[in-house]
């Protein structure tokens, strides 16, 4: 079968993905095989493919495809997250464009619009993942708001409430004034910004011209002040015990309180206390029984309680009030500062601390087993450096605010009567029964308006996708759970990974996965995180169209070790595409050869044995790298095996001679061995380049139905033949040395050069034949004893060889030998210093020491040979 001149990625991608889908290779059902299970980190249903998805899902697909080839029952579960805040914002915007207000149509009608939007636009990203080659079991696609998964969320909420782990309380929360909802601590991004520090003075009530000065970055919040706090031992303020001060502009009389919380050395030592708008102030307010005055509306405008600037935006008021404070003599000074401001991860709005009645999960008890399983290795984090981060978070865990003031999501299963009593249950009928049983009112019953945090559904993902809450003993959950590997980003290690572990331990008494591979962040050439707002992120589908899916997959993984950021440049994908072309051309070369039943040359036999050893040993090395989740390194090892060993050396070693205007035939034994080697190499490459490898697999031989590379057996690694590899590598190094002599002297490759060792050689006749074929040396001469006149010396390892030259300039050869001798003496000195260092010798691994000693012996042998050579030349 003739191979086309060029690999056409688009054609291959469409052809083979359709074939894999139609053949059902991605489908998984429980059977007698060992399961290999991965659940996709569900992308937002609103999302489209970005570079982070490309990296993450390529790694998942690499792991899944290899497991499938290992004979495991590979199950990769896809799905999407309903993304409460992001989706609701999109639907609200869409309705707004039609002149419809969310509040005007009510909850039920709004949800109809939201589901209609989801059906029309949601899940685009899953279709895009197919373009990448993702081998998910698409029949298992789940959505976090589908009925069964929503039921699981409600059941868990009710269960945790019964256990006392879910509670409702008035707490200071992070409030997003754009999304109009509370967000968790983990959804707040702290950014450094340029700000102003305003020093304001408060008049002491009843005193003549006595003032207390405080400093604040938020002067608008003085309108909610209910105290000024100082340290009890601060002598500057002890005379103010029992006194009160007046809030600037509005003249509200507030007490001076004394509390050790105040840092005397910081600023003026006096602190304004605004319990409704600062977490620490709230705690001080509770302790000192202060009034709480909420001066902000949910949308960030000032409320009637502020008395001034009612209805105006907080940031507009900040500028206005600063001018008024200055004009009326309350502003002492301002300073330019850099401080950290919390912003919403979803909307980028500046977060307001806000006192709100919300639902929370008690985390301390749930966190203990989740920390233990990471510490004892039942869940392994790759790279391990993230264990410290995980441990810190889990040991300092705070209660999780899970209620969101939205409509898109699972509605909180809490019901209230006209007296404000609450019943947590599924239905209104159950609520009535609970109220009756407690002797409480059954009038005015209504359900909580809020929904649960999106993460409260996704923390159940590894269990809920297998319906483990609906039926805890169903065949799927028993077979696929716990899953094997999770691939995700470090920034959601606590958001999602830790919580999934908590849920797994709480509801299955088992970890949800055994390994967590944490990717890095994809950055541009100057180190910035790729994002739409910066305009520095290419469209992944454009990259696939330009470089092919395989080229992009390789490009993404060439420089992305676990936990380290990926410095992306289009040249990486170009390198991936070039690699595709290199392999394609190598196969075209081989398939173009004529095969004959003839004796196998000794050099061919040596090359085949060497390449077989390289493939076996590299396969074993790759297995070790996969076990350690060194995916990028495994790709580079595969890349070098193909580019260097297979294409640069092996094919050159066996390529039929060209004589009388035509290529000579190759012996059948070498050809068949080569096809077998190619098959193994394609199998090793398949997880990274699925389309190219499947295409070439079918060009290599006629295949029966079901004989596709996607389900071909993963090659078995072996120890290889180290002695043979060393010998053939010695031959290749000698070839490189002879070629260098030709290049330096402008000698034609067609001109034979006689080569022989000055002493003994490790080369057998078979490997010596490779030298002849690749360097045009004829049969190796016997030992010269020393380098004869009219020859130059080259080395392979520590073995010296003479290359007889047609004409030789003795002075030039002597100069060259002197330069090499100077270099080698310096190199030997550095090695001897290292070996003379007691700390190095005592601390270095045995293999490292052995390598250094070998370097020393090789350098000494080369120096001795060069000194003898110089004596002859002189």
């Amino acid at each position: 079968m003739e191979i086309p001149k060029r690999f056409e990625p688009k054609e291959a991608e469409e052809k083979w993905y359709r074939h894999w889908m139609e053949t059902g290779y991605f489908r998984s059902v429980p059977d007698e095989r060992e399961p290999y299970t991965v659940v996709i980190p569900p992308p937002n249903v609103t999302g489209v493919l970005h570079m982070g998805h490309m990296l993450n899902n390529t790694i998942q697909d690499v792991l899944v495809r290899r497991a499938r080839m290992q004979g495991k029952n590979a199950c990769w579960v896809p799905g999407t997250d309903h993304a409460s805040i992001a989706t609701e914002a999109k639907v609200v915007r869409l309705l707004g464009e039609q002149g419809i207000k969310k509040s005007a149509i009510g909850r039920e009608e709004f949800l109809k619009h939201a589901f209609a939007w989801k059906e029309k636009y949601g899940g685009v990203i899953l279709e895009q993942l197919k373009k990448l080659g993702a081998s998910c079991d698409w029949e298992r696609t789940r959505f976090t708001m589908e009925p069964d998964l929503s039921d699981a969320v409600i059941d868990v909420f009710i269960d945790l409430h019964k256990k006392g782990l879910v509670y409702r309380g008035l707490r200071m929360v992070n409030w997003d004034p754009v999304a109009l909802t509370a967000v968790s601590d983990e959804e707040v991004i702290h950014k450094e910004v340029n700000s102003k520090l305003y020093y304001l003075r408060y008049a002491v009530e009843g005193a003549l011209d006595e003032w207390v000065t405080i400093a604040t970055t938020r002067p608008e919040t003085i309108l909610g002040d209910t105290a000024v706090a100082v340290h009890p031992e601060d002598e500057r303020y002890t005379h103010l015990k029992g006194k009160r001060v007046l809030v600037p502009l509005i003249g509200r009389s507030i007490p001076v309180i004394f509390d050790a919380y105040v840092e005397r050395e910081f600023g003026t030592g006096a602190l304004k206390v605004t319990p409704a708008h600062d977490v620490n102030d709230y705690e001080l307010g509770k302790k000192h029984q202060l009034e709480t005055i909420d001066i902000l509306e949910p949308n960030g405008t000032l409320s009637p309680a502020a008395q001034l600037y009612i209805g105006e935006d907080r940031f507009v008021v900040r500028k206005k009030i600063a001018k008024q404070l200055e004009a009326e003599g309350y502003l002492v000074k301002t300073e330019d500062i850099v401080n950290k401001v919390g912003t919403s991860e979803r909307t980028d709005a500046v977060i307001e601390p806000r006192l709100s009645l919300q639902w929370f999960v008690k985390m301390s008890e749930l966190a203990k087993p989740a920390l233990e399983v990471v510490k004892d290795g039942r869940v392994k984090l790759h790279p391990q450096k993230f264990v410290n981060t995980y441990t810190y978070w889990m040991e300092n865990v705070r209660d999780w605010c899970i209620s969101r003031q939205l409509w898109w999501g699972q509605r909180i299963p809490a019901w209230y009567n006209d007296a404000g009593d609450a019943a947590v249950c599924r239905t209104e009928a159950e609520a009535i029964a609970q109220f009756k049983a407690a002797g409480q009112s059954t009038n005015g019953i209504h359900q909580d308006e809020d929904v649960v945090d999106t993460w409260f559904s996704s923390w159940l993902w590894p269990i809920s996708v297998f319906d483990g809450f609906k039926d805890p003993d169903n065949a799927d959950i028993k077979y696929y759970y716990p899953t094997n590997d999770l691939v995700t980003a470090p920034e959601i290690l606590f958001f999602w990974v830790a919580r999934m572990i908590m849920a797994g331990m709480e509801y299955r008494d088992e970890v949800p996965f055994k390994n967590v591979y944490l990717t890095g962040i994809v950055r541009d050439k100057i180190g910035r995180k790729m994002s739409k707002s910066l305009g520095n992120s290419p469209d992944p589908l454009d990259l696939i169209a330009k470089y092919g899916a395989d080229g992009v997959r390789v490009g993404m993984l060439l420089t992305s070790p676990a936990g380290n950021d990926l410095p992306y440049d289009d040249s990486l994908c170009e390198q991936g595409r070039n690699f595709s072309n290199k392999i394609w051309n190598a196969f075209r070369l081989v398939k173009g050869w004529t095969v004959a039943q003839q004796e196998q040359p000794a050099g061919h036999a040596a090359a085949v044995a060497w390449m077989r050893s390289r493939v076996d040993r590299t396969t074993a090395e790759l297995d070790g790298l996969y076990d350690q989740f060194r995916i990028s390194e495994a790709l580079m090892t595969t890349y070098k095996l193909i580019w260097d060993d297979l294409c640069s050396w092996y094919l050159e070693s066996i390529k039929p001679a060209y004589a009388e205007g035509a290529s000579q035939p190759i012996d059948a034994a070498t050809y068949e061995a080569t096809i077998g080697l190619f098959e193994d190499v394609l199998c090793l490459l398949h997880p990274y380049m699925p389309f190219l490898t499947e295409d070439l697999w079918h060009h290599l031989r006629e295949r029966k139905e079901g004989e596709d590379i996607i389900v071909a057996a993963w090659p078995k690694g072996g120890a290889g033949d180290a002695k043979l590899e060393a010998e053939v590598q010695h031959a290749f190094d000698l070839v490189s040395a002879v070629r260098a002599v030709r290049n330096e002297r402008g000698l034609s490759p067609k001109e034979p050069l006689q080569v022989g060792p000055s002493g003994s050689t490790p080369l057998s006749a078979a490997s010596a034949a490779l030298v002849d074929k690749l360097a045009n040396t004829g049969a190796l001469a016997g030992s010269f004893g020393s380098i004869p006149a009219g020859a130059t010396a080259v080395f392979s390892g520590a073995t010296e060889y003479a290359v007889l030259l047609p004409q030789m300039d003795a002075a030039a050869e002597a100069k060259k030998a002197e330069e090499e001798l100077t270099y080698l003496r310096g190199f030997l000195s550095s090695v001897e210093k290292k070996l003379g260092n007691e700390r190095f010798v005592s601390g270095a691994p045995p293999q490292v020491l052995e390598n250094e000693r070998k370097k020393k012996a090789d350098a000494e042998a080369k120096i001795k040979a060069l000194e003898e050579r110089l004596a002859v030349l002189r």
Side-chain angles (χ1 to χ4, degrees):
M1 191 192 307
E2 188 182 346
I3 300 182
K5 284 186 178 179
R6 282 184 302 276
F7 175 56
E8 299 293 346
K10 190 172 186 297
E11 288 177 21
E13 287 157 17
E14 290 173 358
K15 172 185 175 181
W16 293 116
Y17 204 86
R18 184 172 60 249
H19 173 71
W20 294 330
M21 290 280 283
E22 288 171 354
T23 315
Y25 286 135
F26 303 163
R27 182 70 180 130
S28 176
V29 293
D31 59 24
E32 70 288 346
R33 290 175 293 166
E34 177 188 347
Y36 176 81
T37 316
V38 171
V39 292
I40 200 170
N44 288 354
V45 73
T46 59
V48 293
L49 202 62
H50 61 59
M51 297 299 279
H53 293 133
M54 293 278 281
L55 175 62
N56 185 299
N57 287 284
T58 297
I59 292 168
Q60 289 178 80
D61 197 42
V62 166
L63 296 172
V64 169
R65 285 179 180 275
R66 176 172 175 265
R68 193 179 286 120
M69 295 174 80
Q70 288 177 307
K72 296 174 185 175
N73 189 348
C75 178
W76 184 9
V77 181
T80 50
D81 187 284
H82 64 275
S84 294
I85 296 174
T87 305
E88 183 148 326
K90 279 189 183 290
V91 177
V92 166
R93 195 178 308 124
L94 186 70
L95 291 173
E97 289 167 3
Q98 300 168 32
I100 303 170
K101 280 191 173 181
K102 170 186 163 184
S103 55
I105 60 173
R107 188 182 202 114
E108 294 309 312
E109 192 63 26
F110 176 81
L111 288 176
K112 285 179 187 175
H113 282 283
F115 273 107
W117 181 93
K118 180 258 174 189
E119 289 306 314
K120 187 173 181 181
Y121 300 106
V124 167
I125 191 167
L126 298 184
E127 291 305 310
Q128 292 176 324
L129 284 176
K130 293 175 182 178
K131 300 286 186 189
L132 184 65
S135 58
C136 301
D137 183 349
W138 298 108
E139 291 180 46
R140 289 185 174 274
T141 302
R142 306 305 297 259
F143 173 53
T144 53
M145 254 181 77
E146 66 181 77
D148 286 345
L149 272 67
S150 287
D151 285 347
V153 169
I154 301 306
D155 289 343
V156 166
F157 187 104
I158 294 168
D159 178 68
L160 292 177
H161 182 263
K162 283 177 183 172
K163 293 172 179 173
L165 295 175
V166 161
Y167 66 93
R168 191 177 189 227
L170 188 66
R171 298 282 187 279
M172 187 67 70
V173 298
N174 304 303
W175 185 261
D176 181 335
V178 172
L180 298 177
T181 181
V183 295
S184 66
D185 291 335
E186 294 77 30
E187 291 167 293
V188 178
I189 308 298
H190 292 276
K191 298 178 181 177
E192 282 197 347
V193 297
N194 294 318
S195 298
K196 288 192 180 297
L197 187 62
Y198 300 85
Y199 287 80
L200 310 176
R201 60 181 195 163
Y202 292 52
V204 177
E205 192 175 36
L208 187 64
D209 200 29
E210 185 177 4
W211 305 83
V212 175
T213 300
I214 60 92
T216 180
T217 56
R218 302 163 70 207
E220 69 280 6
T221 62
I222 66 168
L223 304 175
D225 286 355
T226 55
V228 166
V230 295
H231 195 281
E233 296 171 8
D234 192 333
E235 294 177 357
R236 293 172 293 179
Y237 302 114
T238 49
H239 70 287
L240 294 178
K241 278 185 181 167
K243 301 275 188 178
R244 299 175 75 84
V245 294
L246 302 174
V247 176
L249 304 182
I250 55 175
R252 180 189 302 126
S253 173
I254 58 175
V256 177
I257 61 173
F258 291 78
D259 198 289
Y261 164 76
V262 181
E263 294 180 40
R264 282 176 283 183
E265 298 77 19
F266 185 76
T268 65
L271 183 77
K272 67 187 280 302
V273 183
T274 319
H277 299 289
D278 182 272
V279 175
N280 297 316
D281 290 8
Y282 174 66
E283 295 302 324
L284 274 175
K286 282 200 299 184
K287 183 177 177 182
H288 294 274
Q289 298 179 316
L290 299 175
E291 184 183 3
T292 299
I293 301 173
D294 187 350
I295 64 156
L296 288 176
E297 298 287 6
N299 65 358
T301 58
L302 269 65
S303 71
Q307 301 182 44
L308 301 175
Y309 304 108
I310 297 164
E312 296 191 52
D313 182 78
R314 54 189 169 151
F315 295 118
V316 173
V317 173
R318 183 170 298 175
K319 291 178 180 176
K320 286 186 175 181
I321 204 169
K323 288 179 181 175
Q324 187 178 353
L325 286 164
E326 183 176 22
E328 296 190 24
Y330 294 109
L331 181 65
V332 177
K333 63 175 180 176
T334 60
E335 290 177 357
D336 290 326
I337 62 165
V338 174
N339 66 330
K340 286 194 171 179
V341 172
T343 59
S344 169
E345 183 191 43
R346 294 293 180 202
T347 66
D348 206 36
V350 173
I351 291 294
E352 280 294 340
R354 179 177 171 83
L355 201 57
S356 183
L357 194 59
Q358 303 283 349
W359 288 92
F360 296 85
V361 177
K362 284 184 185 174
M363 298 293 275
S364 54
E365 289 306 307
L366 291 170
K368 285 175 185 173
L371 175 56
E372 185 184 326
V373 296
V374 169
K375 281 188 165 181
D376 67 20
R378 277 180 277 171
V379 174
K380 291 183 172 64
L381 305 185
H382 305 274
Q384 201 177 358
K385 68 180 181 181
F386 286 108
V387 172
N388 289 338
T389 307
Y390 182 90
T391 301
Y392 175 80
W393 279 339
M394 299 300 268
E395 288 178 346
N396 296 275
V397 70
R398 286 183 283 189
D399 286 359
W400 174 16
C401 175
I402 56 167
S403 43
R404 297 290 181 270
Q405 288 63 54
L406 302 164
W407 286 350
W408 176 249
Q410 288 91 4
R411 193 170 179 180
I412 287 173
W415 307 77
Y416 309 101
N417 61 18
D418 56 1
D421 302 312
V424 173
C425 50
R426 270 195 165 275
T427 64
E428 185 175 353
E430 289 175 16
I432 291 169
Q434 282 191 29
F435 288 135
K436 280 182 178 176
Q440 295 167 334
S441 169
T442 55
N443 294 325
I445 293 177
H446 59 282
Q447 189 176 354
D448 199 304
E449 288 292 321
D450 294 348
V451 298
V452 292
D453 178 13
T454 300
W455 296 105
F456 195 81
S457 56
S458 54
W459 78 319
L460 310 177
W461 187 248
I463 304 173
S464 60
V465 295
F466 297 116
D467 291 323
F469 292 100
K470 183 180 180 182
D471 178 2
D473 292 314
N474 79 74
D476 274 6
I477 193 75
K478 287 167 77 173
Y479 181 74
Y480 293 114
Y481 189 96
T483 69
N484 294 76
D485 303 325
L486 178 77
V487 181
T488 190
E491 54 261 41
I492 55 174
L493 180 57
F494 184 75
F495 261 150
W496 190 45
V497 178
R499 290 170 179 164
M500 282 191 288
I501 297 173
M502 292 179 202
M505 296 306 293
E506 179 70 17
Y507 287 102
R508 303 287 308 176
D509 196 26
E510 234 178 335
V511 298
F513 28 71
K514 295 154 194 163
N515 295 286
V516 180
Y517 179 104
L518 296 153
T519 65
I521 295 169
V522 184
R523 298 189 181 276
D524 65 15
K525 283 187 281 191
I526 57 174
R528 299 175 304 172
K529 183 177 179 178
M530 285 194 163
S531 69
K532 278 185 185 174
S533 59
L534 287 173
N536 64 345
S537 182
D539 183 332
L541 295 183
D542 289 345
L543 292 177
I544 289 172
K546 186 173 182 181
Y547 300 108
D550 290 332
V552 175
R553 287 166 69 109
V554 167
M556 293 299 292
L557 292 183
L558 276 172
T559 58
S560 55
N564 290 346
D565 291 351
L566 163 62
Y568 176 79
D569 185 76
D570 280 357
S571 61
L572 291 169
C573 295
E574 190 175 355
Q575 188 178 349
R577 181 185 63 189
N578 293 346
F579 186 42
S580 295
N581 293 338
K582 178 85 170 178
I583 299 164
W584 188 263
N585 290 334
F587 276 82
R588 286 192 73 243
L589 173 73
V590 172
K591 292 299 284 186
W593 292 339
T594 305
V595 184
Q597 294 297 328
Q598 61 192 38
E599 187 179 349
Q600 184 181 41
H604 284 196
V608 167
W610 172 79
M611 192 65 211
R612 169 48 59 200
S613 179
R614 290 293 303 122
V615 169
D616 290 351
R617 205 150 60 84
T618 301
T619 303
E621 187 183 340
L622 288 173
D623 288 339
L625 291 171
Y626 277 112
D627 288 346
Q628 297 168 60
F629 289 85
R630 289 156 67 181
I631 310 300
S632 188
E633 202 173 324
L635 169 60
M636 188 48 73
T637 300
T638 309
Y639 185 100
K640 287 177 178 176
L641 175 74
I642 295 169
W643 193 287
D644 297 341
D645 295 343
L646 183 72
C647 296
S648 297
W649 287 113
Y650 176 72
L651 292 184
E652 286 298 311
S653 298
I654 64 164
K655 187 165 67 175
Y658 199 78
E660 298 175 7
S663 177
Q664 300 301 296
I666 188 170
D667 66 278
T670 301
Y671 181 81
E672 282 305 314
T674 301
I675 297 301
L677 288 165
F678 275 147
E679 285 183 321
D680 280 358
V681 165
L682 284 178
C683 286
L684 295 178
L685 185 62
H686 176 74
Y688 296 98
M689 305 184 87
F691 298 108
L692 172 78
T693 52
E694 190 71 85
D695 215 42
L696 286 171
W697 181 260
H698 288 271
H699 280 300
L700 263 182
R701 302 185 197 270
E702 288 292 331
R703 306 284 179 186
K704 295 176 187 171
E705 189 177 327
E707 287 185 344
D708 297 304
I709 197 170
I710 189 175
V711 288
W714 181 256
K716 292 202 179 301
D721 186 336
K723 186 179 176 190
L724 171 69
E725 282 192 43
E727 181 187 328
V728 174
Q729 188 59 53
H730 184 98
F732 292 156
D733 290 345
L734 178 55
V735 169
S736 297
V738 174
R739 285 174 175 173
V741 169
R742 288 186 187 277
N743 289 337
E744 286 167 9
R745 290 164 178 79
L747 300 174
S748 167
K750 294 178 181 177
E751 185 176 354
L753 291 176
Q754 190 177 11
V755 176
S758 59
S760 61
T761 175
L763 297 179
S764 64
S767 48
L770 289 174
V771 177
D772 174 25
K773 177 164 186 175
L774 296 170
N776 192 11
T777 61
L780 273 186
S783 173
F784 286 114
S786 62
I787 303 298
T792 186
V794 295
F795 287 91
S796 178
T799 304
E800 185 184 44
Y801 290 86
V803 181
L804 272 63
L805 301 172
Q807 290 181 324
M808 189 190 76
D809 182 338
E813 289 298 316
K815 185 183 178 192
K816 185 167 171 286
E818 282 170 353
E819 287 171 354
E820 194 169 351
L821 200 54
T822 301
Y823 166 77
L824 282 168
R825 283 170 176 157
F827 177 75
L828 178 61
S829 174
S830 69
V831 174
E832 285 176 335
K833 274 183 188 171
K834 204 180 276 188
L835 290 171
N837 183 326
E838 208 172 297
R839 278 183 66 188
F840 172 75
V841 173
S842 61
Q847 186 59 47
V848 172
L849 277 178
E850 183 58 35
N851 286 344
E852 292 300 319
R853 290 182 180 126
K854 186 175 184 307
K855 285 180 193 175
K856 179 173 180 286
D858 285 353
E860 286 171 339
K862 286 180 180 178
I863 288 169
K864 182 173 182 292
L866 278 169
E867 286 172 340
E868 291 171 355
R869 172 76 176 140
L870 267 174
V872 172
L873 289 169
R874 286 169 178 159

